[in-house]
Amino acid sequence: MFIHKNKRVLVGVTGGIAAYKSPELVRRLKDRGCDVRVVMSEGAKAFITPLTLQAVSGNKVHEELLDEEAELGMGHIELARWAEQIVIAPATANFIAKLAAGRADDLLSTLVLATSAEIAVAPAMNQQMWQHPSTAENLSLLQDRGVRVIGPGSGDQACGEVGPGRMTDPTEIATLLAGEALARPLVGKRVLITAGPTWEAMDPVRGITNHSSGKMGFALAEAALDCGAEVTLVSGPVHLETPAGATRIDVRSAQNMLEAVLENVNSADYFVAVAAVADYRPINVAEQKIKKTDESDEMTIRLVKNPDILATVGAMPNRPYCIGFAAETENQIAHARAKLTRKNVDIIAANNVAGDEGAFGSDQNAVTLIHHNGEIEIPTNDKYAVAISMWRHILKLANSA
Ligand code: C5P
């Protein structure tokens, strides 16, 4: 599945300014011993010359669908069969639309239709184009068909705007394709993470809980491990495998979770509270299953406030660097910023859990990191990629604090 020595990788370059980064990607793939061939779209040639890509790949660059010379050697069907991995970087909004529509009007789109290789795209475009519903729908269609979407990143754009749409750094693309840890900036650091829902019992069989799947917390644990950290994962009831190398402590209620956190927080350098902790719990927990009665159609359960685990850690002297989450259905940014101060933490990751697009249970997420000096957008991606991106920003912010 991952690229490795001798893997046959076809790099597709389409027409965006980020094409200037494609030779760097080819180099990073060659560093890993891959056999690399490059296919350029007509538009790509306005930004970079085939000669450059030929020089770095060591192979003739393929450009035309109907190329007499190529048909004798490597025409589109041969290339489609040859490739084990295709990575299109940069992938423009237009090219993504073509792939989604299944068009075959140039060499690259044709061979993508004709291949059984794994396909990845690294989108690069103006932030408005990235945020356009057409682009989002096209990408989600491609993802449903198994195409891997890498990035984009967020920040200053060549067009002078700021926002999501920058092509992911070539080293990062190659690293993700190789399934390697990005870098190991968390070596020697201890990370404590809460994840999943809590279960607040009413009686031995019933309780109050929520839809949290635990996936984001587990992804952050996995990403921290890949960055070299020692990870303790305090998890509410979830159906997820423990990331290899993590110390997992299973808990049920908010009170259990607080105890587990307090036992481990003193040695932690980073505390990430991802758990969707129940705000209230039943005051009384019946020893036996509560029976329904014929006396009344109503029943009242009295609740009491749970401890706020994140705020408790936030208030500790010598506390670790603290990151919380804000899952809101409205006014996310304003609520998240208020939480930053109220809980005395360093970062709040705001994600929207409203409607079908919500993060709960999904394999994808998009978050805005709210910190004391600004905001950082991490666009929609699979939760592991979002987690890697989060750690990169967390470390930058923590080191500049
Ligand atoms: O106050 P609210 O529940 O919206 O805050 C969410 C953040 O606080 C999350 O990071 C969550 O893990 C944490 N939290 C907590 N203990 C609670 C409630 C929330 O650690 N009792």
Side-chain angles (χ1 to χ4, degrees):
M1 152 192 196
F2 294 124
I3 58 163
H4 49 71
K5 194 163 184 317
N6 299 329
K7 186 132 179 177
R8 298 188 300 270
V9 183
L10 190 145
V11 176
V13 184
T14 66
I17 179 66
Y20 81 89
K21 297 183 189 167
S22 303
E24 171 84 14
L25 173 61
V26 172
R27 275 183 192 279
R28 298 289 80 87
L29 296 169
K30 300 276 289 181
D31 289 348
R32 287 167 174 80
C34 298
D35 188 357
V36 183
R37 285 179 179 268
V38 179
V39 173
M40 293 177 81
S41 73
E42 196 51 39
K45 288 188 267 174
F47 294 95
I48 181 168
T49 68
L51 196 59
T52 309
L53 287 157
Q54 179 178 317
V56 287
S57 69
N59 284 310
K60 182 182 174 320
V61 170
H62 305 263
E63 303 163 44
E64 307 290 339
L65 179 55
L66 302 172
D67 177 348
E68 277 175 32
E69 219 180 282
E71 289 302 327
L72 299 174
M74 271 225 173
H76 63 276
I77 298 296
E78 282 90 340
L79 272 175
R81 286 192 192 133
W82 173 87
E84 293 174 290
Q85 167 80 58
I86 293 179
V87 52
I88 299 160
T92 59
N94 178 53
F95 194 77
I96 287 166
K98 279 212 301 199
L99 282 193
R103 295 191 57 170
D105 59 1
D106 66 2
L107 177 59
L108 191 54
S109 53
T110 306
L111 72 86
V112 168
L113 273 189
T115 194
S116 59
E118 290 183 32
I119 300 168
V121 294
M125 65 197 73
N126 161 272
Q127 52 100 13
Q128 292 282 4
M129 295 169 79
W130 170 252
Q131 289 175 42
H132 196 284
S134 302
T135 307
E137 277 167 31
N138 289 334
L139 275 167
S140 110
L141 200 67
L142 293 181
Q143 279 174 323
D144 290 346
R145 292 183 199 148
V147 172
R148 180 169 185 186
V149 179
I150 298 177
S154 190
D156 291 336
Q157 299 204 303
C159 54
E161 295 181 20
V162 180
R166 275 160 61 124
M167 187 173 105
T168 300
D169 174 63
T171 305
E172 193 172 329
I173 297 175
T175 306
L176 286 169
L177 289 175
E180 298 159 1
L182 285 176
R184 294 176 60 82
L186 282 169
V187 169
K189 299 289 178 196
R190 293 205 168 111
V191 171
L192 176 63
I193 299 177
T194 65
T198 61
W199 171 269
E200 308 299 334
M202 283 164 56
D203 71 15
V205 293
R206 303 187 187 93
I208 297 174
T209 188
N210 58 63
H211 285 308
S212 168
S213 65
K215 285 178 185 169
M216 192 64 225
F218 276 56
L220 277 157
E222 197 177 337
L225 287 159
D226 288 346
C227 291
E230 253 181 65
V231 175
T232 303
L233 182 56
V234 179
S235 176
V238 296
H239 303 279
L240 294 173
E241 264 181 49
T242 311
T247 304
R248 173 166 173 178
I249 304 172
D250 283 316
V251 296
R252 276 161 82 88
S253 68
Q255 287 171 300
N256 300 154
M257 191 173 267
L258 175 65
E259 284 158 26
V261 165
L262 292 180
E263 270 168 33
N264 289 281
V265 74
N266 286 335
S267 57
D269 299 290
Y270 294 88
F271 175 56
V272 195
V274 199
V277 184
D279 291 327
Y280 295 89
R281 66 176 184 275
I283 291 186
N284 298 309
V285 182
E287 269 181 34
Q288 304 299 332
K289 186 178 167 199
I290 301 168
K291 290 288 199 197
K292 63 173 168 277
T293 65
D294 293 331
E295 286 144 35
S296 167
D297 283 345
E298 290 185 10
M299 171 179 180
T300 305
I301 305 165
R302 292 191 60 215
L303 304 175
V304 60
K305 221 179 206 164
N306 262 330
D308 189 316
I309 302 166
L310 179 58
T312 307
V313 175
M316 292 172 105
N318 305 321
R319 66 164 173 74
Y321 194 84
C322 289
I323 300 103
F325 269 72
E328 303 288 349
T329 50
E330 56 175 3
N331 298 334
Q332 331 166 31
I333 304 297
H335 283 307
R337 195 160 279 293
K339 235 164 262 185
L340 190 69
T341 325
R342 193 170 69 241
K343 302 198 186 210
N344 189 38
V345 299
D346 300 288
I347 299 174
I348 291 282
N351 56 12
N352 188 347
V353 293
D356 294 342
E357 298 296 307
F360 272 21
S362 159
D363 290 329
Q364 298 234 316
N365 201 4
V367 300
T368 306
L369 300 184
I370 317 278
H371 57 95
H372 291 283
N373 299 313
E375 288 167 20
I376 300 162
E377 292 278 348
I378 301 183
T380 306
N381 216 325
D382 62 71
K383 285 183 173 172
Y384 177 79
V386 170
I388 286 283
S389 212
M390 278 185 67
W391 277 116
R392 210 157 16 96
H393 290 296
I394 291 167
L395 287 165
K396 253 192 236 161
L397 289 168
N399 293 333
S400 65

